[in-house]
Each structure stands twice: as structure tokens, then as C-alpha cells.
Amino acid sequence: MKITPEKNLQQKLQDKDYFLKETALFTATGSYSANLETGCCFVDDMGRSVLSLPSDYNVNFQTALNLFVDFKSIWIHFQNCIKGSEFVEDLEMIDHNDQKIWMRATGKPLYDDVSGRVVGIRGVFTSIDRYIRQGKELAETAKIIEIQNERLVHFAHIVSHNLRVHSSNLELTLETFNSPLVGTDEKVFKSYLSDISNNLSETLEHLNEVVTINTHEKSKEPVDIESVFKSVLEDHRSLLEEIDVSLKYDFSNLSHVDYVPTFLSSIFSNLLSNAIKYRDSSKTLKINVKTKNKRNNKLLMFQDNGIGIDLDRNGAKIFNMYKTFHDNEDARGIGLFLTKNQVESLGGNISVVSEVGKGSLFTVKF
């Protein structure tokens, strides 16, 4: 039968091989098979591309299992498949570059036409890594927002309480001026007014800082970490010169980070101020600051050998507002609260490891 040009064109347009290849390419889908009689395994070119496997990479039962993070789980699936069961599962795999990738994999038994027994397994696997990671990022973001909202509600209650206290004290003090005052009384009440004014200004300043952190547009830019740290050291020069201190820093593992410069400066300033305030006066204050870039996690680590914090008693409230854990007259309990808000507002987190008498290690994940 003669095929007309029009017919030939239609066959080309309906070429199944073309559509299969394009679908596999578009969805990053590979296929595999395993021969139970010979032990041979096969992964097609797209599958090898998805997993970055070289063309000469020998795929067998052992090396195939090494491609899965939880190889015990996939082994159970394969065992069930040999017994006649099918599976569709989301699995975390490891490519040839040791990068973890989420896949949706299927497995179906292949039966011998004569004996009817299972002689092989075959299936496909599709990269769903982007969707899994986006889902995790959304979940983490939602969790951070929930925590921030809880902390802001807590902050609102505290500030509201403090403002009421300052207002009441101001009213009572002003009422006193309605009565005749002798010289000494007038000096005392003027002192009260000064204290109330200072406390009120401090509370409003804290309110402004927290509101700014959570509502101000955060414009990130490449920041030289060492440059910011040296600037903070310069701001604290007078305090550092008054004490016995040994300070080391190393930002070679992560010299720059996309961040809000004022936030990084504030974080350094609060951590440094706390190290100075809560030092052990019987020994040299040792401060060690460094950065790490570990498995795509950008970390800042700030360690001191101060008096430390009892985390068993105070760990749950260490980053809460107006919480202090030592009898230090300069303590306000606002620095770590603001630091945590700044770090988390940019999608990071901060943690602490501390032991009484041995010091503290704060780790900021950018």
C-alpha cells in the first residue's frame, strides 16, 4: 500500500516514541528494570541523567540499593513486588554526586508467560524534589510565622502592661503636685518623673524596634561579615579595653552573606554585649567567633567562656522579652529577644548551648 505524504506527516505527528521521550524529559522521569533470574539491572538514559550516573556505572541489586537513603524500606517494597504486589512510593534517593533527591517511584512485577511466576521488576521514577522542598519550605515558614505571632502577642501584653504601669505612676506623681510640697519632696518627685520618663522612653524604643523588625521592608544585600564585625568591635572598644579579653574570629569559611546589614550589626552587638556583661571576672574572657558553610547551611557561631546559663531551668524562656537570668544591674532582657526576631524575620534561626560556669555557644543559621 502506498503511503501518501499527508499520511506520512500524520504518522510523524502521532509518533509515540517522540511523545514518550518528551514526557520523560519534561517530567524528569526515568525507567528501570531488574531481571530476577540473571541479576541484571537496567536504568535508561533519562534515569541515569536524573541521578547523574555515568554511562559506565554498573547498576546491579547492590549498587541500586545504594541509591536510596532508606534502603531498608525500598528493599521491603522490592520483596513485596517479587511476591506479586505493586507499589507507588515517594522516596529519597542519592545521586552520583551525593545529592539527595526526592522521587516518586513505581514498581510492578513482571510475570513469565508460561510458568506465571514473577521473573522481574520494572517501573519508573520521577523527580518531585522541587515540590517536596517547596512544601517543606512553606511548612517551615508557616511554623516561623506562628512562633513569631505568639512572641509578638506576648510582647504586646508585656508592653501594654509596662505602658499602663508608667501611665499610672505618672498620674500618681502628678496628683502629688496638687498638694503643697517642701523642697526635699519636690526634688524626690522630680526624680520620680525623670525615672518614669526614662522608662517610658525605653519601652517605646523597644516597641519601635520590634515593630520595625516585623513590618519594615527587608532589603538584603551582599554583606562582608568581617567588616560588620570589626565595626561592632570598634563601637565596643572602650568596654573591651577595660577588661581582660582574648578575642578570636575566623570568617574564611563564609566571608559574605546576603543579609540586612543593620540586622547583622545588631546581632553581633547583642551577642558581644552579653558576653561582656555575663563574663566570669575571675578569668580572662575568651570569645571565639567563626562562620561555617556546611551542607548549604550558612552558620555563624559565637562562643564565650562566661558564667553560662542553666538551660534546664531557663532554656524555654531564654529568648523571651525582659527575661534575665543573672543578677546584673545592666541586664534588660531585650537583646536576645530582638536578635531572635531579626534572625527569624529573614527565615533563619538561632540556638544556644550553654553550661553554668563554662560559657555559651550561640549558633545563627542565616
Side-chain angles (χ1 to χ4, degrees):
M1 182 178 70
K2 186 178 180 181
I3 300 177
T4 63
E6 291 80 7
K7 183 71 173 179
N8 188 43
L9 174 60
Q10 190 61 31
Q11 287 180 337
K12 288 182 178 179
L13 290 173
Q14 295 176 220
D15 184 359
K16 292 181 180 179
D17 287 340
Y18 167 81
F19 288 118
L20 286 173
K21 289 178 181 178
E22 287 298 303
T23 300
L25 181 64
F26 183 73
T27 60
T29 299
S31 61
Y32 72 94
S33 62
N35 189 322
L36 300 179
E37 295 186 341
T38 65
C40 292
C41 296
F42 166 79
V43 177
D44 70 355
D45 291 341
M46 181 52 64
R48 286 178 177 271
S49 175
V50 171
L51 294 172
S52 302
L53 299 179
S55 58
D56 60 349
Y57 184 86
N58 182 30
V59 182
N60 53 46
F61 283 110
Q62 183 57 51
T63 58
L65 288 176
N66 292 336
L67 295 172
F68 296 89
V69 173
D70 185 3
F71 64 88
K72 291 181 179 179
S73 174
I74 192 62
W75 178 247
I76 292 173
H77 284 305
F78 284 150
Q79 289 290 326
N80 291 335
C81 207
I82 292 172
K83 296 175 184 177
S85 298
E86 300 178 3
F87 72 84
V88 178
E89 193 72 28
D90 292 345
L91 303 163
E92 197 171 15
M93 299 184 71
I94 307 173
D95 70 12
H96 195 64
N97 300 318
D98 289 330
Q99 297 295 316
K100 294 180 180 180
I101 310 174
W102 279 97
M103 300 284 185
R104 175 158 293 175
T106 69
K108 292 185 178 183
L110 177 66
Y111 296 91
D112 181 77
D113 292 335
V114 179
S115 65
R117 60 190 178 86
V118 177
V119 294
I121 302 171
R122 58 187 177 180
V124 297
F125 53 92
T126 302
S127 175
I128 56 172
D129 192 70
R130 179 162 58 104
Y131 308 107
I132 292 290
R133 296 193 185 281
Q134 285 177 345
K136 286 184 176 181
E137 288 175 1
L138 286 173
E140 289 176 1
T141 301
K143 185 177 181 181
I144 290 173
I145 291 173
E146 182 181 358
I147 293 172
Q148 284 183 328
N149 285 342
E150 289 177 0
R151 192 158 50 248
L152 287 173
V153 169
H154 177 68
F155 164 78
H157 286 312
I158 291 175
V159 170
S160 176
H161 171 266
N162 286 358
L163 290 175
R164 284 197 301 271
V165 170
H166 300 328
S167 176
S168 297
N169 289 340
L170 183 60
E171 288 179 6
L172 290 172
T173 304
L174 290 175
E175 284 179 8
T176 307
F177 279 99
N178 292 328
S179 305
L181 298 175
V182 297
T184 305
D185 291 335
E186 185 174 349
K187 180 181 280 189
V188 170
F189 284 111
K190 283 184 177 180
S191 174
Y192 286 165
L193 281 175
S194 178
D195 289 342
I196 293 170
S197 175
N198 290 335
N199 290 333
L200 183 58
S201 295
E202 186 178 75
T203 299
L204 291 174
E205 182 181 339
H206 294 163
L207 173 62
N208 181 62
E209 285 189 71
V210 174
V211 170
T212 299
I213 289 171
N214 288 278
T215 61
H216 185 66
E217 183 178 349
K218 304 166 188 68
S219 300
K220 290 184 180 182
E221 60 183 73
V223 178
D224 185 323
I225 298 176
E226 184 172 333
S227 177
V228 173
F229 184 64
K230 285 183 176 179
S231 176
V232 171
L233 289 180
E234 187 63 32
D235 292 339
H236 290 75
R237 177 190 289 273
S238 58
L239 284 174
L240 292 170
E241 288 178 346
E242 292 176 3
I243 63 175
D244 184 15
V245 58
S246 171
L247 194 149
K248 296 180 180 179
Y249 57 88
D250 180 8
F251 304 116
S252 58
N253 289 325
L254 179 66
S255 60
H256 292 75
V257 65
D258 285 337
Y259 219 64
V260 178
T262 54
F263 279 18
L264 184 59
S265 178
S266 176
I267 291 166
F268 272 134
S269 183
N270 284 324
L271 294 177
L272 183 60
S273 296
N274 279 355
I276 295 171
K277 284 179 189 175
Y278 305 119
R279 67 187 183 277
D280 186 339
S281 57
S282 66
K283 58 187 178 184
T284 299
L285 170 62
K286 294 182 179 179
I287 297 175
N288 187 20
V289 189
K290 60 184 179 181
T291 52
K292 284 187 177 181
N293 195 349
K294 187 176 181 182
R295 293 179 182 175
N296 295 325
N297 289 326
K298 295 177 172 59
L299 306 176
L300 168 68
M301 309 177 79
F302 193 107
Q303 186 173 24
D304 66 63
N305 67 334
I307 57 180
I309 304 167
D310 186 346
L311 294 181
D312 290 334
R313 293 180 57 188
N314 304 310
K317 52 187 178 182
I318 188 171
F319 293 105
N320 287 352
M321 190 175 186
Y322 296 135
K323 294 296 181 182
T324 58
F325 312 106
H326 305 291
D327 297 328
N328 188 311
E329 62 181 16
D330 294 330
R332 293 290 182 269
I334 187 70
L336 290 180
F337 175 83
L338 292 175
T339 296
K340 188 172 181 68
N341 270 268
Q342 288 170 326
V343 171
E344 291 186 351
S345 72
L346 295 176
N349 60 58
I350 181 171
S351 59
V352 59
V353 176
S354 187
E355 188 174 344
V356 175
K358 294 188 176 181
S360 304
L361 169 62
F362 288 91
T363 300
V364 174
K365 179 181 176 182
F366 291 116

